Amino acid sequence: MAGHAQLADKFVANEERAQWHDKSLWFVRHKRDNISHSIPEWETLRETASQVKLHTVAHLAQYLEEFETNAKKLGVTVHWASNAAEHNEIVLSILQEHNVKRVVKSKSMLTEECHLNPHLEAAGMEVVDTDLGERIVQLRKEPPSHIVLPAIHIKKEEVGEVFHEHLGTEAGASDPGYLTEAARQHLRENFLAADAGITGVNFGIASTGGIVVCTNEGNADLGTALPNLHIACMGIEKLIPSPDHLSLYTRLLARSATGQPITTYTSHFHGPKPGGEMHIVLVDNGRSDILGSDDFRRSLSCIRCGACMNTCPVYRRSGGHSYQSTVPGPIGSILGPSQNAKEHSSLPFACSLCGSCTDVCPVKIDLHHQLLTWRKEIYVRGLLPFSKTFPMKVMSKVFQRPGLYAFGGKVARKALRLMPRWMIYNPLNGWGRQRDLPEAPKESFRDLYKKRKK
Amino acid sequence: MPRVGLFIPCYIDQFYPDVGLATLEVLEQHGCEVDYPAAQTCCGQPMANTGCTDAAVPLAERMINVFAPYDYVVAPSGSCVAMVREHYTDLLPLTNKLQEFQAKTFELCEFLTDVLKVDSISGSFPYKVGVHQSCHGLRELRLARSSETVGDDFDKARQLLKSLDGISFAELTRTDECCGFGGTFAVHEEAVSCMMGRDRLADHRAAGTEVLTAGDMSCLMHLNGLNQRHAQPFPVMHIAQILAGRQPEGITPVNSTDGSVA
Amino acid sequence: MSSRDKILKSINRHLVPAAPLPDMDQAWIQFDNPTEQFLTMLSAVGGRGEVVANLQAVSAKLHEEPFYDDAKQICSLVPNLDISADKQVDLNAIEDPHDLADIDFAIVPGEFAVAENGAIWVTDAQVKHKALYFIAQHVVIVVHASDILHNMHEAYPRTGLNTEAFQQTPHFGVFISGPSKTADIEQSLVIGAHGARSLRVFLVEESFDRAQFK
């Protein structure tokens, strides 16, 4: 399987498109900067939100049980799934018990992670993703490339093409207003025809048993206000202790994600609607393993705002699909290897360690340090290729002997001065394809220092 | 008189000896007794950042021993100092010796502003300067406020540079985006790395940068490498060279009074 | 072993360092003029709002709403508004929320508004079908002008989510900040994704009895 670098290489090869992608996301980062700078207590907010998450994770079992008890009091059926397969089975069986044929689903990265859609479709159900961006990628038969902006990699002309094919919009139409209206009409039919609504969960409240779902489009609300059956799929790390703590996250989430002061709809579900039925599926799928790691525990604090993707100079220039992971970008490069280190071993290296993700993160996850730690893990587990480890071992040996290092440096510099340009800039020189090497001076600093001292 | 052990990163030693000399001169000008221990080689960052921590450990141990005799350790590199101060604890057991070493190690600009309390540098540099914020200096050592964080503005490099006669600064669209060097990233992710670098250079060109500077020669090595392939490369200087009174080569001081001295 | 026990056991096998809950009582943002701030934020998120003297004034202002006079179905939970009988839809007479599909205007009370983000808290406490909030083409919300809070830290205690009443019977509450919107096509903001195409807010100065709304 091609690693991140190979796919990124292809993405960058279309320079114009890569520039367009970079600028689209930088625009979102810029909006985030403007709105966060209008909140004087922004850093306090981040720190407090981080502490609440760390506290919750430190008492996760207790809060989960509290959440379950309270949700049950509200008439919710609570299910527990150890892994993706069990999650999918639970959701399918609830739907089958209710004879469901058509499902509308609002955005849920958890159901993406579990690959729920193909599982339900294989059982003969029709699943319609109702978030506009998700609907676009669903019709194109591809995964989202971003967790908040699933279709950020697609141009409006391409949306026009896929809508022309599936929704019957005019050929060649690419106006976002026109295309959005077409999607509104198309999805309204689906909302009205659905037998069940599936949503993700942004926050679960232990002290009330309620869940919070945030959208701008109102699709989670329409999808659950019309059909009688609501299934909410929730990772066990989504808990917070009480409603008062929601103030932190509802202030941070949309500001970090898109630069809005809050999502248009911040919906608090406490039990089923009158006459309806509500199920919550609590999913582990590897989360409890991460919880045990001092190095990676903080990644469970993630509220899926996507700010680390918008700010990441590598993500912006390589596109979400180059990560080949449900969650791409910096946080995805931590979560991916946690799920499968071998498959995602290139991701922690798709990073210049600039640390912008860490500074932008609303819950202060030390993302770039975790990425560095993952590199060590990958090496320790023997997943780093020889081409990466061997030069490091040789360099280390040389650097342990100052005399050898000084001599080696002298020889290398002399060689660089004497070799013709075509020999230096050979196809194996990854540095030199687009970059000149520094001029090799006759004397090193240590040589000059010695002379100066005399 | 503080006794400073000069920590010159390996690639500066080999490829940019004048940056080492300039650092030495600046420290001496500000009253330090400076010594360069020749037993030093590399801090181990390339190995650690590739994940090969076992290859980095002996180098980290060497560093601590080599610099044991000094009051301070100063390097013209935010990245190498960040390696020592923020990441040696990932490699070595937390001993007093390690903590002392970490506490006395400084990047050049912060050593001047925070330890020596230098508030102005005399000299003239009549150019529009583009300051590249190297990420490790910025977000590990906090040499300036990063654009992501909310709070009072500060920038230790500019604080020193702004006292030079005639200097002005290029104001970038993206104030502190990474240049794409990132150590071995520059080679392993060559396509993205170079695009990042080209974008930084374009931002500097649009902002009217006449001389590009930074606290890290590694970022500048990458940026200059790309710059040299451009039809009109601008000169690149390490901040130590500017602070030591060097002037850029290949350009004459013109139209450099239009920018504001920030 | 059930999956529930398996997950709890898997969590409990780890010794996680203690992390105390932080103090939530901090110097959170306050505004000199919360009403003005609310209206500014509401407009920033695509809504429109204004302060009016009383409910009679709301009635008059509704006719200024584009599409209002052409509306065929209006569902108002705010009493005494001047709505012709043939347009008025009685929410309580509707059994199936799907029958709300053709509602043009929903006129509903909001419990309070939040200055920092232009959001209004509405619930299903006296609303038979919460679908009304999302299915109507246009939404008008009426809030007491005195019920504007500075920030979300003041807002959450006011929601009552932590009270017995909310925890014994199922309830739904939502902060609505502006009309439904999306920017999923090339980051171009389009108002009117799936929910309301417009949101108008009236901040009513004269006190009124919310209990009469239904």
Side-chain angles (χ1 to χ4, degrees), chain A residues 60 64 82 236-237 283-293 297 300, chain C residues 6-14 16:
Chain A
L60 192 58
L64 279 168
S82 293
I236 54 172
E237 85 286 15
V283 185
D284 182 347
N285 204 30
R287 287 161 177 76
S288 61
D289 295 328
I290 300 178
L291 188 128
S293 157
R297 184 178 306 118
L300 294 175
Chain C
K6 220 191 284 175
I7 292 170
L8 293 175
K9 198 178 159 198
S10 175
I11 293 169
N12 283 327
R13 84 198 134 115
H14 303 300
V16 180

Side-chain angles (χ1 to χ4, degrees), chain A residues 351-373:
Chain A
C351 162
S352 65
L353 297 173
C354 78
S356 182
C357 48
T358 301
D359 274 7
V360 92
C361 176
V363 288
K364 295 184 87 164
I365 301 172
D366 52 341
L367 289 150
H368 74 295
H369 288 168
Q370 292 193 27
L371 286 166
L372 182 56
T373 310

Side-chain angles (χ1 to χ4, degrees), chain C residues 8-147:
Chain C
L8 293 175
K9 198 178 159 198
S10 175
I11 293 169
N12 283 327
R13 84 198 134 115
H14 303 300
L15 254 182
V16 180
L21 266 182
D23 184 6
M24 290 293 292
D25 196 12
Q26 310 253 12
W28 307 121
I29 201 163
Q30 300 282 310
F31 302 96
D32 294 338
N33 186 339
T35 305
E36 198 180 292
Q37 173 69 20
F38 170 77
L39 292 173
T40 305
M41 293 317 289
L42 179 64
S43 135
V45 297
R48 287 167 299 122
E50 66 188 293
V51 180
V52 295
N54 48 38
L55 292 179
Q56 286 74 31
V58 171
S59 208
K61 289 267 179 190
L62 280 172
H63 294 286
E64 294 171 10
E65 277 298 293
F67 314 110
Y68 184 77
D69 288 333
D70 296 331
K72 292 195 176 61
Q73 292 191 14
I74 299 173
C75 183
S76 174
L77 304 180
V78 178
N80 305 323
L81 295 181
D82 171 31
I83 300 164
S84 60
D86 62 322
K87 290 186 178 180
Q88 174 74 281
V89 174
D90 180 3
L91 192 63
N92 291 315
I94 290 192
E95 281 313 310
D96 182 348
H98 290 83
D99 296 340
L100 297 168
D102 296 324
I103 296 282
D104 295 304
F105 269 83
I107 306 168
V108 296
E111 291 192 14
F112 60 87
V114 187
E116 72 157 303
N117 54 23
I120 301 154
W121 177 249
V122 300
T123 72
D124 66 352
Q126 287 154 313
V127 180
K128 189 175 174 190
H129 300 292
K130 63 175 177 176
L132 179 66
Y133 294 123
F134 314 107
I135 204 165
Q137 297 291 329
H138 303 274
V139 171
V140 176
I141 306 183
V142 176
V143 190
H144 265 157
S146 56
D147 287 333

Side-chain angles (χ1 to χ4, degrees), chain A residues 237-349:
Chain A
E237 85 286 15
K238 293 286 176 189
L239 275 187
I240 54 163
S242 87
D244 287 349
H245 299 116
L246 279 174
S247 56
L248 302 165
Y249 304 102
T250 53
R251 295 189 74 192
L252 286 163
L253 179 65
R255 286 186 173 101
S256 298
T258 57
Q260 292 170 255
I262 187 170
T263 44
T264 302
Y265 302 101
T266 306
S267 302
H268 303 62
F269 296 84
H270 282 73
K273 70 178 184 120
E277 208 174 289
M278 182 171 173
H279 296 255
I280 296 175
V281 190
L282 291 165
V283 185
D284 182 347
N285 204 30
R287 287 161 177 76
S288 61
D289 295 328
I290 300 178
L291 188 128
S293 157
D294 287 338
D295 290 323
F296 303 118
R297 184 178 306 118
R298 290 177 80 113
S299 66
L300 294 175
S301 300
C302 177
I303 58 172
R304 302 291 193 267
C305 71
C308 61
M309 289 156 214
N310 305 341
T311 204
C312 177
V314 179
Y315 174 90
R316 276 188 269 112
R317 291 174 180 83
S318 58
H321 289 158
S322 66
Y323 292 81
Q324 297 173 289
S325 164
T326 305
V327 179
I331 185 68
S333 300
I334 294 164
L335 298 174
S338 303
Q339 291 268 348
N340 185 335
K342 190 161 191 248
E343 195 180 316
H344 299 293
S345 66
S346 74
L347 296 188
F349 296 89

